[in-house]
Amino acid sequence: MLQLVPGYQIEATIHQSHKTIIYRAVREADRQKVVLKTLRTPHPTRAEIAQLQHEFQLAMRLIDVPGVIRVESFERYGHSVAMVMEDAAGIDLACYLRESRAAARNPFSIDSFFKIAMDIVQILQGIHRAHIIHKDINPRNILWNESTGTTRIIDFGISTELSRERQDVSTANLLEG
């Protein structure tokens, strides 16, 4: 196992984007499984650090909203930072749908489909009640744990607070998220 962030043993890479890497890890202090979201570059800019910290702060405001991935801490290490989150042990819906197509099977029963849809609606209702707009709801940002039937919404990287959202006239025709 790799140790990138002190106090955490990396078990696997879950996802990589051009800005971040997400790992499944074990916290050494209590042997708890967690997920670490780190910045891809070993020497990130202040703006990159601020963006991850903003995501952490918004997610902390949603700590009491059922179905939102739980953030636990924001850790500094070396010249970088990591956001520590619960390990919901699910699979994102995009991956689940790809695997279902590859296996030539129906991805969901009608009951499962409607349960997931209702879960998503209820989670978004809680997020919106907290005056936060996710801005990136898509199958990659919805985790589903088939064995427990739980649904989680993840990745608040481009989310914003509703009260602070301002539509700029110069960008009115551009889509965000």
Side-chain angles (χ1 to χ4, degrees), residues 97-140:
L97 292 170
R98 261 192 321 276
E99 289 176 3
S100 295
R101 272 189 237 117
R105 63 178 162 84
N106 287 331
F108 303 109
S109 69
I110 195 75
D111 290 339
S112 293
F113 172 82
F114 281 115
K115 183 193 179 312
I116 293 167
M118 287 301 298
D119 287 349
I120 293 167
V121 168
Q122 289 173 343
I123 298 165
L124 287 173
Q125 184 179 35
I127 292 169
H128 293 165
R129 277 192 183 129
H131 303 288
I132 293 175
I133 303 172
H134 188 281
K135 290 184 166 179
D136 199 17
I137 296 296
N138 67 70
R140 288 184 320 271

Side-chain angles (χ1 to χ4, degrees), residues 6-7 67 72 76 115 149 159:
E72 297 181 6
R76 294 191 178 277
K115 183 193 179 312
S159 298

Side-chain angles (χ1 to χ4, degrees), residues 14-37:
I14 298 173
H15 177 76
Q16 291 187 47
S17 73
H18 65 286
K19 291 183 179 182
T20 63
I21 303 176
I22 301 173
Y23 299 101
R24 181 162 277 121
V26 175
R27 185 174 32 232
E28 293 173 345
D30 59 5
R31 305 305 301 159
Q32 183 70 37
K33 287 186 179 263
V34 296
V35 171
L36 301 175
K37 184 171 188 177

Side-chain angles (χ1 to χ4, degrees), residues 1-163:
M1 280 196 268
L2 171 70
Q3 186 178 32
L4 173 72
V5 180
Y8 297 89
Q9 292 292 321
I10 305 296
E11 290 186 330
T13 301
I14 298 173
H15 177 76
Q16 291 187 47
S17 73
H18 65 286
K19 291 183 179 182
T20 63
I21 303 176
I22 301 173
Y23 299 101
R24 181 162 277 121
V26 175
R27 185 174 32 232
E28 293 173 345
D30 59 5
R31 305 305 301 159
Q32 183 70 37
K33 287 186 179 263
V34 296
V35 171
L36 301 175
K37 184 171 188 177
T38 64
L39 297 170
R40 192 172 182 109
T41 176
H43 297 280
T45 65
R46 287 183 187 189
E48 290 169 324
I49 291 171
Q51 184 175 1
L52 190 61
Q53 190 165 25
H54 174 74
E55 178 178 355
F56 173 75
Q57 290 168 341
L58 285 180
M60 284 299 293
R61 287 193 39 211
L62 298 169
I63 202 89
D64 294 326
V65 176
V68 171
I69 200 73
R70 301 282 179 257
V71 292
E72 297 181 6
S73 63
F74 192 79
E75 313 257 336
R76 294 191 178 277
Y77 68 96
H79 297 283
S80 196
V81 293
M83 184 168 55
V84 181
M85 299 171 280
E86 73 172 317
D87 185 352
I91 184 172
D92 71 70
L93 289 183
C95 186
Y96 182 79
L97 292 170
R98 261 192 321 276
E99 289 176 3
S100 295
R101 272 189 237 117
R105 63 178 162 84
N106 287 331
F108 303 109
S109 69
I110 195 75
D111 290 339
S112 293
F113 172 82
F114 281 115
K115 183 193 179 312
I116 293 167
M118 287 301 298
D119 287 349
I120 293 167
V121 168
Q122 289 173 343
I123 298 165
L124 287 173
Q125 184 179 35
I127 292 169
H128 293 165
R129 277 192 183 129
H131 303 288
I132 293 175
I133 303 172
H134 188 281
K135 290 184 166 179
D136 199 17
I137 296 296
N138 67 70
R140 288 184 320 271
N141 290 332
I142 300 168
L143 293 182
W144 183 57
N145 187 321
E146 187 173 11
S147 63
T148 64
T150 56
T151 305
R152 296 267 194 285
I153 291 184
I154 62 170
D155 195 359
F156 289 82
I158 64 170
S159 298
T160 190
E161 294 178 66
L162 184 58
S163 59

